[in-house]
Amino acid sequence: MKNLKPIYLLAAVMALIMVSCNNNKNKEVNKDCSGSYELKGRDTVNVIDCHGKQGKWVPSLSNKLQDTTYYRNDTIIEKY
């Protein structure tokens, strides 16, 4: 019976590790995040994905921007 205690402890630790690795947060991070974008020459601009505006946004007829603006998660990072 004394030899089974380490095995039970190891099984309990392994069960905790497996449960903690299999949570819903991991599923949200890996979800499909497709979006739309425009191409200007060879550069991808005006990207919208599930987090909002991303990357370099340039003025065009479809948006009302006056300056080239850089976004991350729908937040302005830089404006030129």
Side-chain angles (χ1 to χ4, degrees):
M1 208 54 176
K2 289 182 180 181
N3 293 338
L4 292 178
K5 286 184 181 180
I7 294 173
Y8 289 135
L9 180 62
L10 180 62
V13 170
M14 289 178 62
L16 286 174
I17 290 171
M18 289 173 49
V19 168
S20 67
C21 290
N22 189 18
N23 59 24
N24 289 335
K25 290 180 184 177
N26 290 338
K27 291 178 184 177
E28 283 183 26
V29 170
N30 295 329
K31 75 177 183 176
D32 181 28
C33 191
S34 60
S36 62
Y37 60 90
E38 293 179 29
L39 290 176
K40 187 161 191 139
R42 302 169 98 201
D43 193 13
T44 303
V45 295
N46 300 358
V47 177
I48 297 176
D49 64 10
C50 60
H51 301 291
K53 293 179 182 175
Q54 304 294 336
K56 180 179 180 181
W57 276 65
V58 295
S60 69
L61 296 175
S62 62
N63 62 40
K64 297 191 181 347
L65 292 176
Q66 295 178 355
D67 301 316
T68 299
T69 308
Y70 289 86
Y71 288 90
R72 180 178 300 133
N73 298 337
D74 221 17
T75 304
I76 296 175
I77 298 173
E78 287 185 62
K79 197 172 193 176
Y80 293 103

